[in-house]
Amino acid sequence: MWNLLYNLIVMPIQMVVEITYLLMSRFLGNQGFAIIAVSIVIQTLILPLYKRSDALQDEEREKQKEMEHWVKHIKKTFHGDERFMMLQTYYRQQNYKSYDALKSSISILLQIPFFMAAYNYLSHLQEIKGTAFWVIPDLGEPDRLLHIFGMQLNMLPIAMTVINIVSGIIYTKGMPRKSKVQVYGLAVVFLVLLYNS
């Protein structure tokens, strides 16, 4: 099942990443700039998907806000099975299904196949191993740019996390705490996953 999903969803994206990288590498003549170009091209390609997922998230937030008064009232007034039955009845009257709450996670879920495709292709790319780019001595290894108290820290994943958190602060301004936690949590997950890459 996993292989089927990977082949249907991730492999086509990985092919786009590979073709983009090869074209950009040939055109720009530099692997570092080619990787940056891949990132820009992929982000541009998925922008319509992000816009649609944002629209779905906005719909979900509006529906939650619309129902908030009665949901709080039901939760305050009823307990146990009675609360559950009342909430289910209210949701049914409002044409709200429990899986509608997943709409707020669509943008996060969209990122996963693109991340997997880019990571899988670039992490196995032999031509970047031993290649220097700007202050990075080897694109095929963790950067180890910062030395503190005899420890080597990888600055690129830390910089990525800071950028993700700052953009998250800007992007989630005025949004509920749940949306903010998702964005910041994802930034931390990517830090952990990519720290040694």
Side-chain angles (χ1 to χ4, degrees):
M1 179 69 170
W2 169 249
N3 285 337
L4 178 66
L5 285 174
Y6 188 88
N7 289 332
L8 285 175
I9 298 170
V10 179
M11 281 306 289
I13 298 170
Q14 189 170 325
M15 289 172 61
V16 171
V17 169
E18 181 177 359
I19 291 166
T20 305
Y21 173 81
L22 293 172
L23 289 173
M24 291 300 155
S25 180
R26 190 169 294 140
F27 178 72
L28 299 171
N30 182 294
Q31 285 86 4
F33 286 125
I35 291 170
I36 293 169
V38 165
S39 178
I40 292 168
V41 167
I42 295 299
Q43 289 298 322
T44 303
L45 289 174
I46 62 174
L47 194 59
L49 294 174
Y50 278 136
K51 286 189 175 189
R52 180 63 188 132
S53 75
D54 282 348
L56 288 172
Q57 286 176 327
D58 288 343
E59 286 174 22
E60 168 64 14
R61 277 192 285 276
E62 287 301 315
K63 189 70 172 175
Q64 291 279 352
K65 197 180 291 184
E66 187 182 296
M67 298 186 312
E68 183 178 26
H69 171 74
W70 284 107
V71 168
K72 281 183 178 177
H73 175 72
I74 291 169
K75 286 182 177 180
K76 188 170 70 174
T77 308
F78 300 99
H79 301 286
D81 288 342
E82 195 176 23
R83 175 195 287 179
F84 177 78
M85 296 302 287
M86 292 298 285
L87 280 172
Q88 293 304 313
T89 302
Y90 179 64
Y91 288 152
R92 195 168 39 256
Q93 289 171 346
Q94 297 299 314
N95 292 322
Y96 182 79
K97 291 150 189 73
S98 55
Y99 59 80
D100 285 349
L102 293 175
K103 288 180 182 177
S104 63
S105 303
I106 288 177
S107 63
I108 292 170
L109 295 175
L110 275 176
Q111 293 178 32
I112 293 171
F114 288 94
F115 165 75
M116 288 173 65
Y119 180 78
N120 193 41
Y121 177 71
L122 294 172
S123 65
H124 294 97
L125 192 60
Q126 291 301 314
E127 70 183 64
I128 65 171
K129 298 202 185 310
T131 303
F133 178 70
W134 193 38
V135 297
I136 305 165
D138 185 351
L139 288 173
E141 296 291 327
D143 60 81
R144 298 181 192 98
L145 290 176
L146 189 61
H147 302 275
I148 299 177
F149 305 116
M151 291 180 3
Q152 295 178 328
L153 297 177
N154 299 330
M155 282 308 299
L156 292 178
I158 293 169
M160 175 196 68
T161 304
V162 169
I163 291 168
N164 285 341
I165 288 173
V166 169
S167 65
I169 290 168
I170 294 166
Y171 177 74
T172 60
K173 192 173 186 178
M175 289 186 183
R177 178 194 270 172
K178 183 175 131 183
S179 298
K180 294 178 181 183
V181 168
Q182 284 180 338
V183 170
Y184 304 146
L186 188 63
V188 172
V189 166
F190 278 135
L191 173 65
V192 171
L193 289 175
L194 296 175
Y195 185 75
N196 288 316
S197 299

